[in-house]
Amino acid sequence: MAFYCVATVLNLLLTDTEQLLHQLLQKHLAPTHLVLVDDSDSHLGHPEANQGKHFQVTIATEKFAGLTQLQRHRLVYDTIGDFGKIALHALSIVTFTPEEFFQFNHSKSSYE
């Protein structure tokens, strides 16, 4: 009976991964910008592709101010905690402070 409950919980997590990931990041990091892209379909057929979802996250929050890229990524991983270990196979992270995000969006034409 306990196995059924664990399997049900894992199935629920894998079904609603994007929504739960969004809620965790929104609640704990209070982003001014948050975009999640489920990239799982592009990994079909890869070894271990069935061991969780693949996501790209672009996030801007004041909580990244003064942090290195490594510290920002650790903050994201700490925020999603065990959920990420269970439901995700891969997570691509792009981080900004709100000011960096504004500057990036207003200077895009110089990168193209």
Side-chain angles (χ1 to χ4, degrees):
M1 186 72 145
F3 176 76
Y4 174 78
C5 293
V6 170
T8 302
V9 169
L10 288 175
N11 188 38
L12 176 63
L13 287 176
L14 292 174
T15 303
D16 297 325
T17 302
E18 185 172 2
Q19 181 180 356
L20 291 171
L21 183 58
H22 188 276
Q23 289 173 352
L24 284 169
L25 295 170
Q26 191 71 41
K27 179 180 178 182
H28 297 286
L29 297 181
T32 56
H33 178 82
L34 177 60
V35 174
L36 294 173
V37 176
D38 185 344
D39 197 27
S40 300
D41 288 346
S42 67
H43 297 275
L44 292 176
H46 291 185
E48 301 175 353
N50 63 342
Q51 293 183 359
K53 297 277 193 166
H54 293 72
F55 277 93
Q56 298 174 17
V57 60
T58 302
I59 184 170
T61 177
E62 286 292 342
K63 295 189 181 208
F64 293 150
L67 299 180
T68 66
Q69 284 297 327
L70 180 59
Q71 290 169 326
R72 292 174 180 193
H73 284 222
R74 283 183 179 155
L75 182 57
V76 170
Y77 280 111
D78 288 347
T79 298
I80 61 176
D82 288 338
F83 169 74
K85 293 174 187 173
I86 295 169
L88 301 178
H89 177 72
L91 184 63
S92 171
I93 306 170
V94 178
T95 63
F96 299 96
T97 64
E99 295 79 17
E100 291 167 345
F101 186 73
F102 178 83
Q103 290 173 355
F104 175 77
N105 278 330
H106 287 84
S107 64
K108 268 187 168 176
S109 60
S110 65
Y111 293 113
E112 297 173 356

